[in-house]
Every structure is written in C-alpha cells, then in structure tokens.
C-alpha cells in the first residue's frame, strides 16, 4: 500500500520554475472564477424558471420528433422531459413533476462543478509553477514515506495478544492516540503537521482488545470529503513565499466567496491530542475549538461535533490543556497573530468555561504550543520561534525564529481575572515546545517562594520545521525565585528527549518520575526512558534510571503512564505501566506495548498485534472504564 501510495505522488517531474507574476494572475483569475460562479448560479435559476413553463429556448434544440438539451459541463446531450398533455392522468402529471425536479437538481449539481474544476486547475498551476514542493520538509514524497503514509479507516477489529497478558487496570478502558492522516493525496507542499486528524483506539475488555481507526469528522474534513479535494492551504507548508501567499490566499478567498467553504465553522484538523474535560472527551488541534468524540462499547469512535462550550469559546484552544487531578479544573489558552496575542481561560470541574483573560503584555505571538500549571500559577513560554508574516516579503516562511529575541517565562496567578499580576522572567537560551510539569516550592536556602518546571529545551531551534532530524532537545529543570526574580536551570539528561509524560495524578504537584520518548533521530522515537528528577537536586548527574529501546527498525511514539491502583492515595508514584504504539518497519507490523514502569529495563508485560499499521503521530490518552461510562 505504501508503494502504490507514493507512486501516485507526482507521477511526472515537477517543474521548478517560479513566476513572480503568476500570483497576480491567479488572483485575477480567481476573481473571474467568482464572477463565473455567480453567473452559473443565475443561469441555473433562469433555467429552472423556464423549465417550469417549458419556454426555454437558449438551452434546448427542438425538432418535430425529439428534443435534447446540452449538458455544458460534459458537452453531452440527453433527452428533454416532455410536458404532459392537458388530458394526462394525475399519476402522469406527478411522474412529470418528479422527473423535472430530478433533472433540475442534476443541472444544478453539474453546473456547480464548473468553479470547482477551475479552482482545482489554478491549484495545480500554483503547485507546479509558483510554489512546488522543492524542500524535502514539504515534499509529500519524503514526508509521507514509510510509516508516515496515511492509512484507511478501520472499523472495530479484534486483536491478538501475542505476548503476556493485559493488566487488570487496563480492563474496560481505551488507549487513543491522535495524529495526522491526510484523506487526499497532497496536490502540492505538505508538512508533517498538516494532515487530517485520525484517532487510533484500542478498547480493552476481559483481557481482549479491539482496535479501530477513524477520522475526526471536522468541518474541514467533511467539506473536503464532499468536494473530493483539499480546499484550504496549510500555514505550515502553503505560505513559503510572498508569491505562494498571494496565490493560495487569493484561491482560498475565491473558494470561500463561491460558497465552497464557510470559515465561521473553523478550519482546524484536530490532529494533535486528546483531553478529558468535565466528563467530555475531545480531540484537539490548536487552530480550532475542540471536537467532542465518544467511544462506543464496541470500540468504535464517533465524532459528536465541534464544541464551543455554549458559545463561550472563541476561535481556538491549545491542544495541551492542563487538568488538576485534585479539583477537576482545567486550564487552557489560545494565541494568534493579532492582539491580544495570548488569551488565558479556565474551566470548572463540570466543564463550564470562565471568562477570558487577555494578555496584552505579549507583543507578538510566539509559537505557543504548550504551557505549565501549578497549584498557584500558570506559566507561559515566550520563545524565539513565532509567527513572522513579514518574512514572506523576503521569501521566508511565515513561521520563523528570531535569534535576537531573549526567551522569557510569564507567570500569572491561575485564578487571575486580568493580567495585572503577570510577571515576565528572562531565561536566555530556553526554547520549549512542550512542558512536562511544574509545581510550587519553598527554596531550601532562602525560604523564598519558587516555581519549578521540567521541560525539554530545543537546542537547535532553527531546524524545528525544515530539518527535524537535526533537532536536539535537552530535558531541563528550571527554578524561578519569585522573590528575587532569579532564574536558574540545568539539564537532567543528555539524551535527545521529548514527548515526555508523568503520572497524571501529579499534574501541578511535585513529581519525581518522568517518562520521555527517545528521538533518535527526530521525528523517529526509538525507545522510552524513565528519569528521576529528584537526582538532579544533588550532584546534577544523568537522571535516567530505566530505559527500553524498541530494537532495530522499530519506532514508537509518545509514552503514556497508567497507574495500577489510581484509587490508592498511598500507591508509589511509579506503580503502574507505560503504554505506547510501536511499529516494526521491517515487518510492516504495529503493536500495542505495555511496559512495567517500576522495572529498571521497563520490561514488556503485554504486547498486542494490531490488525492495521498505526502511522507515527502525536499525543495519546488512556481513558479508564469509569470515565468512559460517565461521558456525557
């Protein structure tokens, strides 16, 4: 399947010629397309009126024996429906009315194909001549190779446990992982972050497992499925130059004006993560509001719909909300290129949203993918990577790094109603995309109130989007002294670690253990390690205390920790299991792997062979049986 998929990508060589005037031509032609669409719709209405009275003369050719009408979208003729005579029976008249209505609907549908055909033609011109996928980082032939290639949906299918036995604490629950899976072959540039969200779910019951893969039925996915093609460009791959920005922007505007897409319904792909908020399960992507989903008892995945929390959530939300396990409250934010660049908000334990807290002290929006929360504060990273629209003028990407900027951490009381108490702390060289955890602490030497945060620091920020294989993340521990304003940090491991998690019961509280994905090289995950962050408080040596490498040709994803006895407050923090999907590229086979978190080698206690491979993706979540039963 992978080979056939790749053979369909760019069957002929892509012309690498760029035209500075092509963008203007496409913009002008797009305006013509809109006008043509309006004319086509008017023609349909005129045709319908005339068909009712049988007086159309412009679209029919009449002879004494037969009448045929031209279908202008196919240049074919087909017989015209003859009107009934005054003496016809009521049944004959009703038959005529039904046939006329069906013919009219067919005409409207075929006329509506005219602007779509023209738009798709201009899309091909842009992708071949104005902005072809020159760089490997946006060339589908490279980005979608191997196990990054998309798969089809799979209904619930029983799996085989090929090693060990599934632990009782997993029984009745479901492990779900999100990731990009484009429903169409990319017509032009494509980035790893672009694909439609697909959820891969393993439902466990009675020691047996059922696997299912389903698309998140976003508005964008649904409209493009109906159109049979992609309708909107991606911010990560579609605007790599001024010409590309002008051409694709004009084409997208033409599609919207022609009624092919309604931007008020969002344009997100919900391909990043999942979250359980107020007894509701969501698929998330930071360019849109969440999409509510449900898992059926049979293990199927259903999209309930786009969820804006009774109209209180506007535009978008982070894909990494934080849930306090003690209070059930959730904390989140959104960011964007226009002021306020950052908006913070929270939800009560029932899922009710509190008012927004706009943050105007952040002048320009960084790429703010994640943040951290403690019992008292929320912490926002202001990194060197951000949205730079003016870079398009010089032929750069809209997402770029600013090497002259000093990274900062913003600290705001978590129950703040405005930003008056927001404080910013300079942390040179600290650029994070993900945050592992944070907590409040008293400094042992000074007694001052402090915040401690653990997060992977990207040491090669300039390669974040174009050369992911060159990225190195240093897992670091940061301390912010809220009294003196001093900030200190140090690495706790030399390994290239990201996509790290903790026991969910320790969110916003001091934790000891972290489970990180070993990226060697990124974006491939070759194993998982367990770190003891308490070791760094002494001699600051390597904190890895356990590891499991998946073996040659085997790669996984983000690990997830599942406690063995979550109801026991006295249980050890690491008493549980680490789970993940792992793919064997040599065999073309994917597995669900369960590892003992207490073991120094993270011993595999169970392995499930999956009926379909799982493409490499992003973040996952294990939802327990009682939580699935209580979903609303």
């Amino acid at each position: 399947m992978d080979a056939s998929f790749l053979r369909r990508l760019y069957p002929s060589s892509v012309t690498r010629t760029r035209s500075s005037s092509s963008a203007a031509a496409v913009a002008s032609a797009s305006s013509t397309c809109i006008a043509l669409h309006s004319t086509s719709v008017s023609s349909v209405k005129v045709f319908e009126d005339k068909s009712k009275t049988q007086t159309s003369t412009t679209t029919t050719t009449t002879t004494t024996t037969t009448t045929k009408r031209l279908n202008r979208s196919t240049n074919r003729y087909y017989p015209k429906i003859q009107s009934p005579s005054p003496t016809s029976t009521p049944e004959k008249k009703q038959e005529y009315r039904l046939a006329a209505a069906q013919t009219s609907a067919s005409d409207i549908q075929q006329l509506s194909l005219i602007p779509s055909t023209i738009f798709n033609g201009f899309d091909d011109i842009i992708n071949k001549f104005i902005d072809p996928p020159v760089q490997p980082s946006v060339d589908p032939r490279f980005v979608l190779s191997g196990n990054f290639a998309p798969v089809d949906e799979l209904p619930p299918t029983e799996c085989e446990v090929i090693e060990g036995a599934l632990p009782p604490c997993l029984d009745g629950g479901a492990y779900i992982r999100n990731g990009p899976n484009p429903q169409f072959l990319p017509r032009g540039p494509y980035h790893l972050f672009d694909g439609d969200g697909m959820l891969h779910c393993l439902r466990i019951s009675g020691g047996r497992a059922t696997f299912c893969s389903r698309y998140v039925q976003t508005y964008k996915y649904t409209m493009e499925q109906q159109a049979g093609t992609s309708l909107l460009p991606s911010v990560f791959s579609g605007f790599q130059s001024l010409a590309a920005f002008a051409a694709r922007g004009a084409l997208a505007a033409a599609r919207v004006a022609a009624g092919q897409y309604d931007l008020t319904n969002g344009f997100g792909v919900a391909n990043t993560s999942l979250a359980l908020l107020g007894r509701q399960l969501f698929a998330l992507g930071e360019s849109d509001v969440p999409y509510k989903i449900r898992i059926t008892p049979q293990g199927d995945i259903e999209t309930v719909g786009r969820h804006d929390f009774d109209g209180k959530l506007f535009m978008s939300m982070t894909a990494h909300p934080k849930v306090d396990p003690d209070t059930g409250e959730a904390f989140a934010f959104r960011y964007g290129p226009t002021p306020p660049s950052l908006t913070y908000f929270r939800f009560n334990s029932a899922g009710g949203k509190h008012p927004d807290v706009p943050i105007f002290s952040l002048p320009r929006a960084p790429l703010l993918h994640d943040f951290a929360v403690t019992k008292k504060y929320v912490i926002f990273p202001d990194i060197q990577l951000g949205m730079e629209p003016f870079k398009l003028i010089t032929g750069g990407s809209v997402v770029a790094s600013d090497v002259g900027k000093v990274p900062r951490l913003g600290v705001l009381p978590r129950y703040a109603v405005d930003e008056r108490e927001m404080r910013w702390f300079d942390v040179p060289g600290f650029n994070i995309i993900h945050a592992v955890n944070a907590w409040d602490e008293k400094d042992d030497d000074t007694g001052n109130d402090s915040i401690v945060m653990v997060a992977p620091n990207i040491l090669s920020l300039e390669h974040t989007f174009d050369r992911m294989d060159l990225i190195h993340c240093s897992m670091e521990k940061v301390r912010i002294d809220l009294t003196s304003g001093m900030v200190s940090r140090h690495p706790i491991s030399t390994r290239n670690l990201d996509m790290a998690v903790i026991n969910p019961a320790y969110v916003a509280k001091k934790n000891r253990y972290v489970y990180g994905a070993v990226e060697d090289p990124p974006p491939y995950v070759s194993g998982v390690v367990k770190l003891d962050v308490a070791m760094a408080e002494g001699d600051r040596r390597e904190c890895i205390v356990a590891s499991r490498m998946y073996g040659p040709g085997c790669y996984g994803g983000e690990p997830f920790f599942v406690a063995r006895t979550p109801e026991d407050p006295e249980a050890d923090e690491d008493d549980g299991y680490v789970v993940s999907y792992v793919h064997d590229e040599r065999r073309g086979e994917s597995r669900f792997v369960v590892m003992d978190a207490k073991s120094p080698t993270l011993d595999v206690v169970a392995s499930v062979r999956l009926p379909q491979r799982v493409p490499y993706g992003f973040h996952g979540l294990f939802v327990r049986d009682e939580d699935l039963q209580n979903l609303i």
Side-chain angles (χ1 to χ4, degrees), residues 21-36:
S21 62
S22 298
V26 170
S28 174
S30 299
S31 301
T32 305
C33 292
I34 298 173
L36 177 60

Side-chain angles (χ1 to χ4, degrees), residues 353-376:
K353 182 180 176 297
H354 290 272
D356 288 346
V357 180
I359 309 297
F360 290 96
S361 56
L362 189 65
R364 290 188 302 170
L367 191 66
L368 217 170
H369 180 67
D370 199 358
F371 76 131
V373 59
T374 74
K375 292 294 185 181
K376 298 180 180 178

Side-chain angles (χ1 to χ4, degrees), residues 597-617:
K598 274 185 169 291
S599 167
T601 56
L602 300 179
D603 294 339
V604 175
V605 299
S607 181
V608 179
R609 180 187 290 119
L610 304 180
Q612 176 173 274
R613 67 179 179 84
V614 179
Y616 303 129

Side-chain angles (χ1 to χ4, degrees), residues 177-182 190 192 195-200 214-216 269-274 615-619:
R177 207 223 58 207
N178 205 341
N181 195 85
Y190 175 87
L192 181 62
D196 299 285
M198 177 173 274
L199 303 177
H200 305 276
R214 295 290 191 191
Y215 279 106
V216 183
V269 290
N271 69 2
T272 308
S273 65
L274 300 109
Y616 303 129
F618 299 139
H619 305 283

Side-chain angles (χ1 to χ4, degrees), residues 196-431:
D196 299 285
M198 177 173 274
L199 303 177
H200 305 276
C201 174
L202 191 79
R203 185 75 190 263
I204 300 170
S205 179
R208 306 175 70 175
T210 301
F211 181 77
C212 177
S213 295
R214 295 290 191 191
Y215 279 106
V216 183
Q217 303 284 327
T218 64
Y219 174 74
K220 182 177 184 292
Y221 170 84
T222 303
M223 296 306 295
E224 292 183 339
Q225 184 185 49
Q226 293 175 4
T229 186
S230 298
L231 297 176
L232 297 180
S234 168
V235 69
F236 292 109
S237 63
F239 304 113
Q240 299 297 309
S241 67
L242 182 60
F245 178 84
R248 289 201 173 92
L251 183 56
R255 290 188 187 275
V256 171
Q260 289 191 340
Y261 201 94
D262 184 358
L263 290 175
T264 61
N265 291 321
F267 51 86
V269 290
N271 69 2
T272 308
S273 65
L274 300 109
L276 186 63
L277 308 176
R279 295 175 57 197
Q280 298 182 93
L281 184 59
F282 297 104
L284 304 171
E286 61 196 53
S287 60
D288 206 344
V289 301
Y291 274 82
K292 185 176 177 179
I293 63 170
R294 64 183 294 266
I295 309 298
T296 70
Q298 296 74 32
D300 209 345
I301 308 167
E302 297 178 350
T303 301
V304 179
R306 194 167 181 261
H307 193 81
D308 62 3
F309 295 87
D310 298 323
K312 296 180 181 179
L313 181 59
F314 306 103
M315 296 175 60
S316 62
M317 188 180 92
T318 176
H320 289 288
K322 306 300 180 185
V323 179
D324 188 317
D326 297 326
T327 66
E329 298 169 291
F331 306 86
F333 67 92
R334 68 172 176 269
Y335 72 100
T338 59
S341 299
L342 171 64
T343 301
Y344 165 66
F345 45 88
R346 56 190 175 91
F347 304 88
N348 60 32
S349 58
K353 182 180 176 297
H354 290 272
D356 288 346
V357 180
I359 309 297
F360 290 96
S361 56
L362 189 65
R364 290 188 302 170
L367 191 66
L368 217 170
H369 180 67
D370 199 358
F371 76 131
V373 59
T374 74
K375 292 294 185 181
K376 298 180 180 178
Y377 302 98
V378 289
I379 303 99
F380 297 101
D382 181 15
I383 65 174
Q384 293 175 312
L385 193 67
M387 310 293 288
E388 297 286 350
F390 293 107
K391 290 282 187 180
L392 294 172
I393 299 176
T394 59
S397 172
V398 68
V399 181
S401 58
D402 181 0
V403 295
K405 177 181 177 180
V406 177
R408 304 183 299 170
L409 291 175
V411 176
L412 180 73
R414 81 177 198 174
Y415 295 113
V417 295
D418 55 46
E419 68 164 328
R420 285 180 295 179
E421 296 184 70
M422 170 69 86
R423 298 177 62 187
W424 291 98
F425 300 86
D426 289 348
V427 192
F430 191 62
N431 292 286

Side-chain angles (χ1 to χ4, degrees), residues 56-109:
S56 175
T57 59
T58 60
T59 59
T60 61
T61 303
T62 307
T63 67
T64 56
T65 57
T66 184
T67 302
K68 293 187 177 181
R69 180 166 58 232
L70 174 65
N71 180 337
R72 298 187 183 276
S73 66
T74 60
N75 290 326
R76 296 178 181 175
Y77 286 89
Y78 52 89
K80 177 184 174 182
I81 303 298
Q82 298 295 329
S83 59
S85 66
T87 59
S88 297
T89 64
E91 290 78 10
K92 286 288 185 180
K93 292 181 179 181
Q94 177 65 14
E95 182 181 345
Y96 162 75
R97 283 192 291 268
L98 291 174
Q102 292 173 356
T103 303
S104 178
S106 175
D107 290 334
I108 294 173
Q109 182 179 10

Side-chain angles (χ1 to χ4, degrees), residues 10 27 49 75 77 83 101-102 115 128 148 156 206 251 299 349 456 470 500 505 507 513 571 576 583 594 626 629:
Y10 300 96
D49 293 339
N75 290 326
Y77 286 89
S83 59
Q102 292 173 356
K128 290 181 180 179
F148 290 99
L251 183 56
S349 58
L470 298 180
V507 171
Y513 298 110
H583 182 71
V594 183
E626 56 268 29
Q629 299 298 329

